[in-house]
Structures are given as structure tokens and as C-alpha cells.
Amino acid sequence: MAKNDVTFDMFFKNDLVFHDVDWVDTADFFHKISENLERGGYVAPTFYGAITERELNYPTGLQTASIGAAIPHADPVHIKEPFIAVIRPTHSIAFAPMGGSPDDEKIQAKIIFVLGVMRNGLQVKVLQRLMGMLSDEAVIHQLLQASNEDEILRIIKNSFTSEQTV
């Protein structure tokens, strides 16, 4: 469990939690999250172009049993410090479905995790944990009801570090 805690602490931080933000669409979302991440020293100036291009070519919208989500990311060359940003917008943001085509119905993402993982092997582990968390309806309900950054991080940490999502 201690190893999981180190991984959690490496990626999740209060300044990376954006709740009840009014970002209207993916263009607005990518612009604002890139600005915030660059200002925080997490990404290079090239991140915005890289993440928007990657999303066009490899969409990240994901419909789970209980929620629409998205897990956008860019190649590690654009990352300065490892991170996972958590975004819970006021209104869902439409993302193209993972593995789909641009003509497919959009996923209405109510929670978004932007991955800034620098090692590919670690990215697979992080994605597995996030997928486990996203499939847990109780955790999703808690995340949607959480009222501040600390509460959101506590819920994620409890789920992220539990044996069930490893």
C-alpha cells in the first residue's frame, strides 16, 4: 500500500483539481487547462498543441456505466513534472469517444483526468487504476458531490490506493 501512496502523491495535488469550472467545450477546456498547467510548471509551452492534436487523432471520451469521462494526454516530451489534473466542470464537456470516429455521438464528460505521465510503463498502471475508479459507481457519486479540492483528492486517494483498483 505504501508504494501506491507514493504514486498517488506523485501525481495528484490540490492545484491540479478544478471543480465547478465553466469551460464550455473541448476547445475552451484544452486552452484553459493548458494555460493552468503551464503556469504551474507542469508542462512545456508545446503541450496545448500536442494535447489538442492527440485528442483529434486519438479521442479519449469514455462512457462508463454511470458517467461520461475523458482521459486526455499528450506525449511525455511535453511534460515537465508528472501530474494528473482532475476537472469536474459545471456542465459536461463533449468529447469524441475513445476508439470511435469523429461522426460518432459525443461522450458528455462530467469528470476529466488529464494525464501528465513521463514513463510509458507507469502510464498503463495509472490508467488501470483510473479505469477501476471510474467503474465504481459509489466513488463517482462521491466525486460528483464533493464540495472542494481536499474532498475530491481524499475520495480519489481512497479509491486509487485501495487493493480493488490495483
Side-chain angles (χ1 to χ4, degrees):
M1 189 111 114
K3 186 176 181 186
N4 290 344
D5 289 340
V6 170
T7 303
F8 175 87
D9 293 336
M10 178 192 323
F11 292 112
F12 293 97
K13 298 171 181 64
N14 277 50
D15 67 328
L16 295 171
V17 178
F18 304 87
H19 69 92
D20 300 330
V21 290
D22 196 20
W23 297 344
V24 295
D25 57 23
T26 52
D28 189 36
F29 167 77
F30 284 123
H31 177 73
K32 288 179 178 163
I33 196 65
S34 295
E35 276 184 347
N36 279 288
L37 293 171
E38 186 177 348
R39 189 172 34 253
Y42 294 101
V43 300
T46 55
F47 182 79
Y48 172 75
I51 197 167
T52 54
E53 182 177 336
R54 191 170 201 327
E55 187 69 27
L56 282 173
N57 294 318
Y58 304 101
T60 61
L62 179 67
Q63 184 63 52
T64 71
S66 60
I67 194 170
I71 309 176
H73 51 281
D75 292 330
V77 67
H78 307 284
I79 309 300
K80 290 182 174 181
E81 293 289 330
F83 70 89
I84 298 176
V86 182
I87 301 88
R88 192 188 70 194
T90 305
H91 306 287
S92 60
I93 298 174
F95 278 79
M98 191 179 295
S101 75
D103 297 330
D104 289 346
E105 186 175 339
K106 303 286 189 229
I107 303 296
Q108 297 302 316
K110 293 184 179 182
I111 192 152
I112 305 160
F113 294 94
V114 178
L115 303 186
V117 181
M118 299 176 85
R119 295 191 330 252
N120 284 337
L122 192 55
Q123 182 166 317
V124 172
K125 277 184 165 178
V126 168
L127 278 171
Q128 288 173 333
R129 290 201 177 109
L130 285 175
M131 296 303 288
M133 186 175 60
L134 287 170
S135 66
D136 187 329
E137 291 187 36
V139 171
I140 295 304
H141 178 74
Q142 291 172 9
L143 283 173
L144 293 177
Q145 298 303 312
S147 60
N148 60 53
E149 292 88 352
D150 290 331
E151 192 176 349
I152 290 169
L153 287 178
R154 180 187 53 74
I155 293 163
I156 293 171
K157 184 172 187 173
N158 288 344
S159 176
F160 203 79
T161 60
S162 76
E163 295 302 316
Q164 294 176 354
T165 58
V166 174

